[in-house]
Amino acid sequence: MQLAEGSYPLVDFDDVSFSYKGSKQNIFKNVSVIFRSHEFYFLTGDSGMGKTSCLKLIYSGLLPTSGNITVLGINTRDLNIYTLPAFRHQIGIVQQDCELFEHLNIQENVALALKLQGTSIKKANLYAEELLAWVGLGDYLKRFSKELSEGQKQRAAVARAVIRRPKLLLADEPTGNVDEAQSKRLIDLFKELVKMGTTVIIATHNRLLVSSKGYCEYRLRDGSLHQQNPLKGTSSLTAQLMRMA
């Protein structure tokens, strides 16, 4: 198995089981799997099988019923209200509901993360403008979320999640509301992040998208994660990566 240079375990599920309170159904049952750094993963499975729950477990939106999950060297059970913000600051999260701030325009939404970490307003806005142009929203900088379609909101949410170049990017159906051309552009953006050192995990039911890319796929079935194809490592894919415009 060829791994990217410098690759190391970034997300480690150790004998993890999970079920929602009051439910007898196990979403996960004794799952042990490692997602390595500097890699690109697809998380697949039928609707309702737990893809979203898996991502929530990784960013500590949920805690396992049993077992341990270590992310970025931290056991998620050890996080608390004081340490959780710094932990999540290292993670980019794209959720299906695209929770944009309604009182900010799209450029301000995307630039906010950089401003909060001390980047100047001018520079943060410039980076946001460049990234929004990349995802096809260059003409919508001053629009507000209520003025956008669901697909446009999704692309804005992706831009907001990746602008800080997080160590880990978790995306839940990021191409679900966009057309094929925009879907390809988003995937190219994710590939660029992997090239720069981000680990990307995308939950999707789009079989065509997964089969056309050749990256490692974990399929959620019967409470377990089944690896569908080998991990190639980004070092063997450099020639296929597109540079950001």
Side-chain angles (χ1 to χ4, degrees), residues 88-228:
R88 288 193 180 156
H89 187 72
Q90 303 175 76
I91 302 173
I93 303 170
V94 182
Q95 299 174 322
Q96 291 189 56
D97 52 13
C98 305
E99 296 176 345
L100 300 174
F101 293 109
E102 294 185 357
H103 66 289
L104 301 177
N105 64 39
I106 301 309
Q107 184 179 28
E108 291 168 337
N109 261 281
V110 174
L112 182 61
L114 290 182
K115 294 174 184 177
L116 290 176
Q117 70 179 25
T119 303
S120 70
I121 294 176
K122 182 178 180 179
K123 186 176 290 187
N125 284 337
L126 178 61
Y127 288 160
E129 181 178 352
E130 292 175 349
L131 197 49
L132 284 165
W134 174 261
V135 299
L137 293 175
D139 295 330
Y140 295 82
L141 301 179
K142 305 307 178 183
R143 300 282 184 91
F144 291 82
S145 63
K146 65 181 180 180
E147 302 175 81
L148 301 184
S149 69
E150 290 305 312
Q152 289 168 334
K153 291 178 185 178
Q154 189 76 7
R155 283 181 273 156
V158 168
R160 183 179 63 179
V162 307
I163 194 169
R164 289 184 291 104
R165 296 183 184 178
K167 293 182 180 179
L168 174 63
L169 175 69
L170 307 174
D172 195 356
E173 301 286 2
T175 63
N177 293 313
V178 302
D179 60 29
E180 184 177 350
Q182 289 298 337
S183 175
K184 180 181 183 303
R185 201 156 178 80
L186 291 180
I187 294 298
D188 286 340
L189 175 58
F190 295 153
K191 291 193 294 185
E192 280 297 322
L193 284 173
V194 173
K195 188 178 180 182
M196 293 184 286
T198 296
T199 295
V200 174
I201 304 176
I202 294 179
T204 182
H205 66 274
N206 188 334
R207 294 301 312 159
L208 182 60
L209 178 67
V210 175
S211 61
S212 67
K213 299 303 176 183
Y215 288 106
C216 184
E217 175 191 356
Y218 279 101
R219 185 164 180 79
L220 182 57
R221 184 174 65 248
D222 300 326
S224 297
L225 283 172
H226 302 270
Q227 188 172 356
Q228 302 299 111

